[in-house]
């Protein structure tokens, strides 16, 4: 993540959306992305990661660091597509 994104999240609704998308052709990686919405309904990208494959361990690492460095406050809503890797990482102990 970038510092302006962390600072900007202070002005967003307490909701984050996490998702992934796949890259094709030459670059066959997966992009993990977290976005939030400000009070004017503008979308702010919070953080991202480019990974080799979507697993519970990569989601755990990603969500744990999101919580630790960007969204430490309580009462935060997380929206996802309920992918098994996301659910497993979220329910894991010590996930932050």
């Amino acid at each position: 993540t970038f510092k302006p994104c962390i600072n900007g999240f202070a002005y967003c609704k307490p909701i984050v959306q996490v998702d992934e998308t796949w890259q094709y052709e030459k670059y066959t990686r997966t992009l993990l992305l977290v976005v939030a919405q400000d009070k004017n309904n503008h979308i702010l990208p919070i953080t991202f990661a480019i990974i080799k494959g979507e697993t519970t361990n990569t989601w755990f690492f990603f969500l744990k660091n999101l919580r630790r460095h960007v969204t430490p406050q309580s009462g935060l809503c997380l929206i996802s597509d309920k992918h098994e890797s996301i659910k497993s990482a979220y329910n894991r102990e010590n996930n932050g």
Side-chain angles (χ1 to χ4, degrees):
T1 190
F2 300 106
K3 184 69 171 149
C5 295
I6 295 171
N7 295 343
F9 183 70
Y11 302 99
C12 290
K13 298 172 185 175
I15 301 168
V16 293
Q17 296 172 279
V18 298
D19 205 359
E20 76 286 330
T21 188
W22 297 272
Q23 298 173 327
Y24 299 100
E25 304 292 326
K26 184 178 177 182
Y27 304 102
T28 56
R29 304 282 188 209
T30 302
L31 174 67
L32 305 181
L33 183 66
V34 178
V35 297
Q37 195 176 53
D38 69 10
K39 65 180 180 177
N40 296 321
N41 296 326
H42 296 123
I43 302 297
L44 175 68
I46 301 295
T47 188
F48 65 93
I50 298 173
I51 59 171
K52 284 186 180 180
E54 186 181 10
T55 66
T56 299
N57 288 334
T58 55
W59 272 113
F60 178 76
F61 177 81
F62 187 68
L63 293 175
K64 184 175 181 179
N65 283 294
L66 170 70
R67 187 66 164 164
R68 180 182 296 158
H69 300 290
V70 183
T71 61
Q73 68 274 29
S74 62
L76 189 68
C77 177
L78 178 81
I79 299 174
S80 75
D81 63 358
K82 298 198 298 189
H83 189 279
E84 280 302 315
S85 295
I86 297 171
K87 289 190 327 187
S88 296
Y90 182 82
N91 292 324
R92 199 187 236 182
E93 281 189 47
N94 300 320
N95 71 354

